[in-house]
Amino acid sequence: MDYKTLKSIIEGLLFLSGDEGLSVRQIAEITEQRPDLAGKALEELKEDYVTQERGLQVVQIAGNYRLATLPDHAPYFERLAYSPSRSSLSQAALETLAIVAYRQPITRVEIEEIRGVKSERAIHTLNNKDLIQEVGRAEAVGRPILYGTTKSFLESFGLADLKELPEPSNFDSSEDLEEETQLLFSKLDSQMTFDDVEQS
């Protein structure tokens, strides 16, 4: 593969890896390149974002590289998160919240295995709305983040504790996820609206 293609692939890998990021060794293994070449391409990609004044940056945290937004742009991201036009939770966010509520503590990868699609954006949305939070790290390769619901989640849905969640009939099957999500939120709908989630 040519060098330009390698950098492009690395960019895509960083995007898909989300908050967990990837080490140089992982990138080298995935792209089947020497670690020094993968590291060089990664560093050049990092500089490309700076010189081209892009809206993202490549950062290194705890030995792993990942894509991140620029701190100077934070006020705009906050406006997006709390915009009145985004007063309801998407279907993706509802599914993700249902999974976290029933399976916590759970990692992003486990959520995605159940949903069958990437869930980073839904997790970010729920985190911004203070409905889920990081509750620890899993004892697995890369020590992925574990997510759980918050006190605000209980307050928003009028629950004393998680034992009051509606009992799902068969939450183990990803095929039943949509049905179970609708069941969960239809039962809770009598206590709140999705707009309440945004305002809480």
Side-chain angles (χ1 to χ4, degrees), residues 75-152:
Y76 302 98
F77 304 142
E78 290 174 5
R79 290 178 199 172
L80 172 65
Y82 297 105
S83 169
S85 64
R86 297 174 61 82
S87 59
S88 64
L89 291 173
S90 67
Q91 181 66 25
L94 291 177
E95 289 179 0
T96 302
L97 183 57
I99 292 169
V100 174
Y102 282 102
R103 296 296 190 89
Q104 59 187 304
I106 188 170
T107 67
R108 177 175 62 85
V109 172
E110 291 170 331
I111 292 170
E112 292 172 349
E113 286 176 353
I114 295 172
R115 291 194 62 227
V117 294
K118 291 292 178 184
S119 302
E120 184 177 0
R121 185 172 180 181
I123 290 172
H124 183 72
T125 296
L126 295 171
N127 196 49
N128 280 341
K129 294 179 186 294
D130 195 29
L131 293 173
I132 67 171
Q133 64 184 350
E134 296 180 15
V135 296
R137 295 272 180 171
E139 295 294 335
V141 177
R143 304 265 304 159
I145 295 169
L146 288 168
Y147 294 96
T149 52
T150 63
K151 181 181 178 183
S152 292

Side-chain angles (χ1 to χ4, degrees), residues 23-198:
S23 67
V24 173
R25 189 179 74 173
Q26 288 174 309
I27 292 172
E29 290 175 353
I30 294 168
T31 59
E32 298 181 326
Q33 301 295 320
R34 300 189 319 272
D36 61 324
L37 183 61
K40 180 183 177 184
L42 181 58
E43 286 300 321
E44 283 194 18
L45 178 64
K46 183 177 181 179
E47 294 201 5
D48 288 346
Y49 274 95
V50 175
T51 57
Q52 296 171 15
E53 298 183 346
R54 305 276 295 278
L56 296 173
Q57 60 180 332
V58 177
V59 296
Q60 184 179 17
I61 298 177
N64 282 3
Y65 290 85
R66 68 185 192 183
L67 291 177
T69 54
L70 302 177
D72 291 347
H73 298 172
Y76 302 98
F77 304 142
E78 290 174 5
R79 290 178 199 172
L80 172 65
Y82 297 105
S83 169
S85 64
R86 297 174 61 82
S87 59
S88 64
L89 291 173
S90 67
Q91 181 66 25
L94 291 177
E95 289 179 0
T96 302
L97 183 57
I99 292 169
V100 174
Y102 282 102
R103 296 296 190 89
Q104 59 187 304
I106 188 170
T107 67
R108 177 175 62 85
V109 172
E110 291 170 331
I111 292 170
E112 292 172 349
E113 286 176 353
I114 295 172
R115 291 194 62 227
V117 294
K118 291 292 178 184
S119 302
E120 184 177 0
R121 185 172 180 181
I123 290 172
H124 183 72
T125 296
L126 295 171
N127 196 49
N128 280 341
K129 294 179 186 294
D130 195 29
L131 293 173
I132 67 171
Q133 64 184 350
E134 296 180 15
V135 296
R137 295 272 180 171
E139 295 294 335
V141 177
R143 304 265 304 159
I145 295 169
L146 288 168
Y147 294 96
T149 52
T150 63
K151 181 181 178 183
S152 292
F153 166 80
L154 295 175
E155 292 172 349
S156 297
F157 287 84
L159 302 172
D161 55 44
L162 293 174
K163 294 178 181 178
E164 292 188 359
L165 282 170
E167 186 68 28
S169 58
N170 184 19
F171 205 68
D172 288 333
S173 172
S174 59
E175 295 178 359
D176 295 329
L177 177 58
E178 183 176 351
E179 178 185 345
E180 299 297 344
T181 302
Q182 292 174 349
L183 171 65
L184 171 63
F185 288 97
S186 65
K187 287 188 176 182
L188 294 174
D189 192 44
S190 61
Q191 299 185 45
M192 62 165 290
T193 66
F194 297 148
D195 285 350
D196 293 331
V197 176
E198 175 67 23

